[in-house]
Amino acid sequence: RAVVAAYYSEAGITIYHGDCADVLPALDVKANAVVTDPPYNVAFKYGGQTDDARPESDYFLWLKHRFVSCADRLRPGGSLLWFWQFIRVACGEVRDVLPASCDVHFCGSWFQREFAGDRFTGTMPAISGGPIVWAVRTGAPASYHGPRGGHAGRQTLVGNHVRHDDGTGDHPCPRAFTIVRDAVRWVTPTGGLVIDPFLGSGTTLRA
């Protein structure tokens, strides 16, 4: 196993600087959960470079390769939970990136309050949101501590979250801290280990 040096490590938080497909196979850990918000392949610019614009077939292979690396670092029954786009979930593209060692447990939704109340301008919707995909590493029962709703417990609803939080820097599409915090709590026991292969603005780290 190759040795990868940590970029930062303190108080139970460790950051590695590099491609997760290279870093994760070098780590001797078994996590309780992976909670992440991967690139959507919509040509956002990160750090002055366009890293998020690939042919769709290349994007699926690229993301699946990194999710396989994540699944290999999960304990049996561990959760792979990620935020994605409605159109991708609706088109059944979850299966295109899902590791063979994981099963989809259910897909949920989060909602965010953007322009509700006195912030509503009449030009934007009062509520927006997106899907959450929850997959589980096979081999043991899943651990879940969050809300369930909808038909046969297949829908999760998260409400009243503010879109932007302090500490996200110049990231073009930061995820709201409160949404990620809730997601981490759903699938991780107290003191458990969480991996985020796409660090972004560090919201999972804060959560």
Side-chain angles (χ1 to χ4, degrees), residues 161-185:
H161 293 284
V162 178
R163 179 177 182 181
H164 295 298
D165 302 282
D166 292 337
T168 56
D170 296 327
H171 197 278
C173 48
R175 184 68 58 194
F177 168 75
T178 47
I179 296 171
V180 180
R181 178 201 63 197
D182 288 352
V184 168
R185 290 176 178 177

Side-chain angles (χ1 to χ4, degrees), residues 48-61:
Q49 298 179 351
T50 304
D51 299 327
D52 193 19
R54 307 168 184 269
E56 282 289 276
S57 58
D58 291 353
Y59 170 70
F60 292 139
L61 290 173

Side-chain angles (χ1 to χ4, degrees), residues 67-125:
F67 278 171
V68 167
S69 296
C70 290
D72 288 344
R73 300 276 69 82
L74 279 175
R75 301 177 184 184
S79 295
L80 171 58
L81 187 150
W82 77 93
F83 300 88
W84 222 17
Q85 298 147 290
F86 275 127
I87 187 63
R88 294 197 181 282
V89 173
C91 291
E93 294 172 357
V94 170
R95 293 291 178 186
D96 292 327
V97 300
L98 190 71
S101 60
C102 294
D103 291 327
V104 173
H105 216 57
F106 64 79
C107 291
S109 300
W110 60 269
F111 295 99
Q112 66 187 19
R113 185 182 62 221
E114 288 193 20
F115 296 95
D118 58 2
R119 296 183 62 190
F120 181 68
T121 65
T123 60
M124 295 290 287

Side-chain angles (χ1 to χ4, degrees), residues 6 9 13 15 22 38 46 49 79 128 130-131 138 142 150 156 159 175 190 194:
S9 185
I13 296 171
I15 299 174
D22 299 325
Y46 297 91
Q49 298 179 351
S79 295
S128 64
T138 57
T156 299
R175 184 68 58 194
T190 301
V194 179

Side-chain angles (χ1 to χ4, degrees), residues 12-27:
I13 296 171
T14 303
I15 299 174
Y16 294 91
H17 189 203
D19 189 329
C20 60
D22 299 325
V23 173
L24 287 172
L27 302 183

